[in-house]
Amino acid sequence: MSNSTPSETINYDTMPSPIGQLLIAAADKEVVHLAFENHDFDEVLDQLEATYGGPVQHSAQALSFATTQLAEYFAGNRKSFDLTLRKPADNGFIATVQQHLAAIPYGETRSYGEIATQLGRPGAARAVGTACAKNPIPLLQPCHRVVRTDGTHGGFSGTTGAKKYLLAFERGEHPAPPTS
């Protein structure tokens, strides 16, 4: 569910990145979705149209406020984003987790269990994982910074190679872009 009006125009653009093509979508200046190239972009666009009830149209100009910041991030010139993100209509645990992700500092990680405990739900590590998997705005709500308790990467809606790249990149390493 969303906070959208009955019919809302969604603009989107795609951009290259070291982890592959990204699709970013917004209603006005409010980011609603970010997808990785391993997602079917046509399916993503169809889902956005169904969710928001209005047209979904390509507009590089309308998304330049976001693509510029993403390009700065991948160039190593930005460690946080100054973007308005669409808050979900649902105020449940999944939404709480997704909004909490922005509190994980650049270059750091938290375990699924740590986040569950921070949110007053010790033992809900799997629910945190589910919330991360359902995150509609990865990178901006940085679910890639959430790892398993043993420090291994865990899942990611992009690819595991992309998650590994992002974590190394944010640690100041110069990783090779993932091949898958």
Side-chain angles (χ1 to χ4, degrees):
M1 286 288 137
S2 71
N3 289 337
S4 66
T5 58
S7 179
E8 191 169 14
T9 299
I10 301 296
N11 292 301
Y12 76 93
D13 195 15
T14 58
M15 64 176 288
S17 81
I19 58 171
Q21 282 292 113
L22 302 175
L23 180 147
I24 187 161
D28 294 318
K29 298 272 185 194
E30 193 173 52
V31 178
V32 299
H33 200 85
L34 189 144
F36 299 98
E37 72 177 8
N38 63 312
H39 302 146
D40 180 334
F41 285 174
D42 289 332
E43 187 175 307
V44 169
L45 297 174
D46 288 345
Q47 183 179 21
L48 289 168
E49 186 173 5
T51 300
Y52 295 99
V56 176
Q57 57 196 27
H58 180 260
S59 176
Q61 181 179 1
L63 268 295
S64 65
F65 73 98
T67 56
T68 298
Q69 289 191 35
L70 284 163
E72 291 168 352
Y73 167 82
F74 284 112
N77 299 322
R78 176 177 287 278
K79 294 186 179 186
S80 64
F81 296 98
D82 185 24
L83 298 169
T84 302
L85 308 180
R86 174 68 53 99
K87 289 185 173 40
D90 175 21
N91 289 327
F93 188 67
I94 288 175
T96 300
V97 169
Q98 291 170 353
Q99 291 171 10
H100 182 76
L101 296 173
I104 305 170
Y106 181 96
E108 295 184 22
T109 60
R110 300 291 181 271
S111 74
Y112 297 100
E114 286 175 312
I115 291 175
T117 299
Q118 288 171 354
L119 296 175
R121 300 266 309 266
R126 287 185 185 207
V128 170
T130 297
C132 289
K134 293 182 176 186
N135 181 4
I137 316 172
L139 290 179
L140 306 178
Q141 292 180 150
C143 53
H144 63 278
R145 296 179 188 155
V146 184
V147 297
R148 294 180 177 143
T149 302
D150 66 4
T152 58
H153 293 139
F156 188 56
S157 67
T159 64
T160 54
K163 184 171 186 171
K164 181 178 177 181
Y165 174 91
L166 291 168
L167 292 172
F169 174 74
E170 289 187 0
R171 286 191 305 265
E173 299 171 17
H174 301 284
T179 57
S180 62

